[in-house]
Amino acid sequence: MTVGLVPMPPKRSRAGTGGGVLRSLSRKKSKEKTAAEIAIAFLETLKIPEGPNAGKPLKLAEFQKSFVRGALAPENMVACLSIGRGNAKTALSAGLAAAAVMGKWDSQPKREIILAARNRDQAKTAFNFITGFIESLPADEQELFTIRRGSRLEVEYSGNGGGLARCIAADGRSILGGAPNLAILDERAAWEREKGDLLENAILSGLGKRGGKALIISTSAPDDANTFSRWLDEPPPGTYTQEHRPSFGLPADDAESLLVANPGAAEGIGASLEWLQAQARRAIARGGSALSSFRNLNRNERVSTEDRSVLVTVDEWMAAEVSPDDLPAREGECILGIDLGGSRSMSAAAFYWPATGRLEAVGTFPSKPGLADRGASDGVSGRYLEMKERGELSVLGENTVPPGPWLASVVALVDGSTISSIVGDRFRHAEFVEAMQGAGLSRVPFIWRGFGWKDGSEDIERFRRALFDGHVKTRPSLLLRSAMADAITLIDPAGNAKLAKGRSLGRIDPAAATILAVAEGSRRMARPTKKLRQASWV
């Protein structure tokens, strides 16, 4: 921490002495280095232990220096780094662990450093980096280390008051009672939810005993509900966050956004930009889980990597998104798909014009609790508020959404279009009848569909086919993107699919309404057109 002299207040002359002279002490520059400067200087004395540049001096990139400065700033207790795979996250954390165990910026006696990973294999990778860095130190310094590679992965240092660095798997029972000076949580987004949260809480509770710091590093989590995502989205006081995540919706091989997620590529760290683009094009050609994994791991996007049960992948859905200028017209009949929410859930409506393929969707919540509180409880931060600003989400009613007034307000959104039919869940028959009567739509034909194996499997398949064939076009919608990301399918032994949530707090109501509307539109377009007989007079 930089120390300087505090200027003294100026002395004023006494009355009558005429024109007092102001005096002040000039500020002196401190020669003492900050913890971050000490750490950066130490790291750049080490040598790269493995890879094509093994044996060369370690040189930190600017994004690495920025993280070290933020992490070791006195006002921060926790520092989070989110960046694409292959940008030397583990190597950087291992170097900081080596510096901490040697007491480079904190000389407390008997220092304790924890480096936690999802499993033992990942912990061993970090351990090998630490031992590799130690081997680049002078011989007399290496003699002060004791390295244990048995059942415990430990590095003990006997100089400067002593220190112990432990590499452990994410099991909270192995850390209870600890008091670490530095804790590093490697690939936090990949930890098991219960064990990972238990270990994290145990570590953070012990940091205060010795004024310790926690570094949480990882590639992006697959969803907003992950604990690592919440650290980034809702950082508590005393938290430094550094996230290298490109804008959503860009092509997987876009060069500029690849460099956002992989800043090391421009500074000779990890894979080159050419290699990343080549991998992106391979992933695009393969599609499915290969493309989702590339987006999540290499582009550092919050994309689900589920491959066997997702309704549609991110890229499959994004193929349907077009700019407002390219959106097809509202022509022909309009089919309205409805998913009525319960007492606290979302009600959603989807409008589909099968003749042109245009799709629109809206959602509604009751006003209590507010959208900000709902977003916090659902693990999506301010997403609901953003949806409302975009005109995709509204609020109606107090504790529940009144079906009749809501349905009337929904129909008013497409005033001028002819709604040929409304499609909904047969198990909500009574509520639908009351809602349609209250909205003055009792004459509009209603088609009952189930969300079980029979109707659900057919509707899902028709929806997917229409989407893949390019018969669904919509403007970019955060509401639909969020719903599609949370929607999965359950498969029975016969291969039938039905819609389900990927996580308990997910909101898939807009996806359900969209499936109903598009599937019914697909059925109508597949029916042969009846030709009228020409009248003949006998």
Side-chain angles (χ1 to χ4, degrees):
M1 182 172 60
T2 304
V3 179
L5 295 177
V6 179
M8 298 293 291
K11 292 184 179 180
R12 298 184 181 274
S13 62
R14 296 180 181 179
T17 60
V21 179
L22 300 180
R23 297 184 303 171
S24 64
L25 295 176
S26 60
R27 185 182 299 273
K28 296 181 180 180
K29 294 184 179 179
S30 173
K31 296 182 180 180
E32 183 182 350
K33 291 184 177 180
T34 64
E37 291 172 338
I38 294 171
I40 291 172
F42 170 78
L43 290 173
E44 294 192 334
T45 65
L46 303 175
K47 293 182 179 179
I48 301 172
E50 59 185 56
N53 295 319
K56 295 182 179 180
L58 182 66
K59 184 178 180 181
L60 296 184
E62 190 55 42
F63 75 92
Q64 293 173 318
K65 292 180 180 179
S66 297
F67 178 69
V68 173
R69 294 187 189 104
L72 298 185
E75 65 272 15
N76 294 326
M77 187 188 79
V78 178
C80 301
L81 174 64
S82 175
I83 198 170
R85 172 178 285 185
N87 283 270
K89 298 186 303 297
T90 302
L92 177 63
S93 61
L96 290 172
V101 78
M102 296 174 69
K104 289 298 181 179
W105 69 80
D106 182 359
S107 58
Q108 293 185 49
K110 297 182 179 180
R111 295 171 297 278
E112 181 181 356
I113 289 80
I114 299 295
L115 205 159
R118 179 182 181 183
N119 51 43
R120 181 178 170 82
D121 289 339
Q122 290 180 334
K124 190 173 182 180
T125 300
F127 177 78
N128 290 336
F129 269 112
I130 296 176
T131 56
F133 286 136
I134 291 173
E135 291 171 0
S136 68
L137 296 173
D140 57 341
E141 195 74 57
Q142 292 185 40
E143 294 177 356
L144 300 177
F145 286 92
T146 301
I147 299 174
R148 303 183 182 95
R149 292 186 171 90
S151 58
R152 296 178 296 173
L153 300 175
E154 295 181 347
V155 173
E156 188 172 357
Y157 182 70
S158 58
N160 196 18
L164 177 67
R166 291 191 289 158
C167 298
I168 63 173
D171 183 351
R173 291 172 297 179
S174 63
I175 191 61
L176 290 175
N181 297 76
L182 179 69
I184 299 171
L185 285 62
D186 191 22
E187 291 297 348
R188 178 64 182 91
W191 291 10
E192 294 182 27
R193 183 178 296 274
E194 293 184 2
K195 288 186 177 180
D197 289 348
L198 179 61
L199 174 59
E200 179 185 289
N201 294 333
I203 289 174
L204 296 182
S205 65
L207 288 176
K209 300 177 183 178
R210 306 182 70 171
K213 292 179 178 290
L215 310 183
I216 307 177
I217 62 175
S218 181
T219 52
S220 186
D223 56 64
D224 293 334
N226 188 281
T227 304
F228 183 64
S229 297
R230 302 190 75 170
W231 272 109
L232 296 170
D233 296 341
E234 305 166 7
T239 302
Y240 171 80
T241 61
Q242 184 172 321
E243 185 175 21
H244 297 265
R245 179 158 59 109
S247 301
F248 188 81
L250 297 173
D253 60 348
D254 178 69
E256 186 176 350
S257 57
L258 279 171
L259 289 176
V260 171
N262 300 274
E267 303 194 49
I269 297 175
S272 65
L273 177 61
E274 292 75 17
W275 185 90
L276 289 168
Q277 287 186 304
Q279 290 298 109
R281 293 176 185 125
R282 292 190 187 99
I284 292 171
R286 293 176 62 190
S289 61
L291 184 53
S292 299
S293 295
F294 180 84
R295 285 189 175 277
N296 180 243
L297 300 176
N298 296 96
R299 290 183 57 84
N300 202 38
E301 296 182 9
R302 289 186 192 175
V303 174
S304 174
T305 55
E306 294 282 345
D307 58 346
R308 291 181 293 179
S309 60
V310 293
L311 176 64
V312 291
T313 66
V314 172
D315 287 86
E316 288 168 347
W317 175 251
M318 284 170 52
E321 294 185 349
V322 297
S323 64
D325 295 336
D326 297 329
L327 195 64
R330 293 177 171 180
E331 294 180 357
E333 62 177 349
C334 174
I335 298 172
L336 175 57
I338 294 292
D339 188 289
L340 281 179
S343 58
R344 287 176 57 87
S345 58
M346 179 191 295
S347 293
F351 303 94
Y352 182 60
W353 288 263
T356 62
R358 178 172 179 141
L359 173 70
E360 298 178 14
V362 293
T364 304
F365 274 123
S367 59
K368 291 184 179 180
L371 294 181
D373 293 335
R374 283 184 184 275
S377 62
D378 288 353
V380 296
S381 189
R383 187 187 296 176
Y384 295 150
L385 292 173
E386 186 177 352
M387 290 178 186
K388 185 179 180 182
E389 292 175 0
R390 295 164 62 103
E392 301 164 1
L393 185 64
S394 61
V395 174
L396 184 66
E398 190 170 352
N399 295 311
T400 62
V401 176
W406 174 74
L407 192 55
S409 67
V410 163
V411 172
L413 295 175
V414 289
D415 188 25
S417 295
T418 302
I419 297 179
S420 60
S421 61
I422 299 177
V423 192
D425 187 358
R426 67 162 53 94
F427 293 102
R428 310 289 293 274
H429 179 275
E431 291 180 73
F432 273 118
V433 170
E434 295 173 1
M436 292 180 66
Q437 289 176 348
L441 300 171
S442 55
R443 293 187 178 182
V444 178
F446 199 98
I447 300 173
W448 308 109
R449 300 294 294 176
F451 282 106
W453 303 113
K454 182 178 181 297
D455 290 350
S457 183
E458 178 193 341
D459 290 347
I460 287 172
E461 185 58 32
R462 285 185 179 273
F463 163 74
R464 285 172 170 166
R465 189 176 303 164
L467 179 67
F468 299 158
D469 290 342
H471 297 156
V472 178
K473 298 296 179 184
T474 181
R475 61 167 53 92
S477 169
L478 184 59
L479 177 76
L480 285 173
R481 283 181 183 177
S482 179
M484 296 298 173
D486 281 330
I488 64 170
T489 56
L490 303 179
I491 311 297
D492 72 355
N496 298 309
K498 69 175 180 179
L499 190 66
K501 294 180 179 181
R503 60 188 184 94
S504 60
L505 297 175
R507 302 290 185 180
I508 62 171
D509 310 86
T514 297
I515 291 171
L516 292 174
V518 174
E520 178 59 25
S522 176
R523 279 188 290 270
R524 287 176 176 260
M525 295 301 291
R527 293 170 188 165
T529 304
K530 293 183 179 180
K531 294 183 179 180
L532 296 176
R533 289 185 178 181
Q534 187 175 0
S536 59
W537 301 91
V538 180

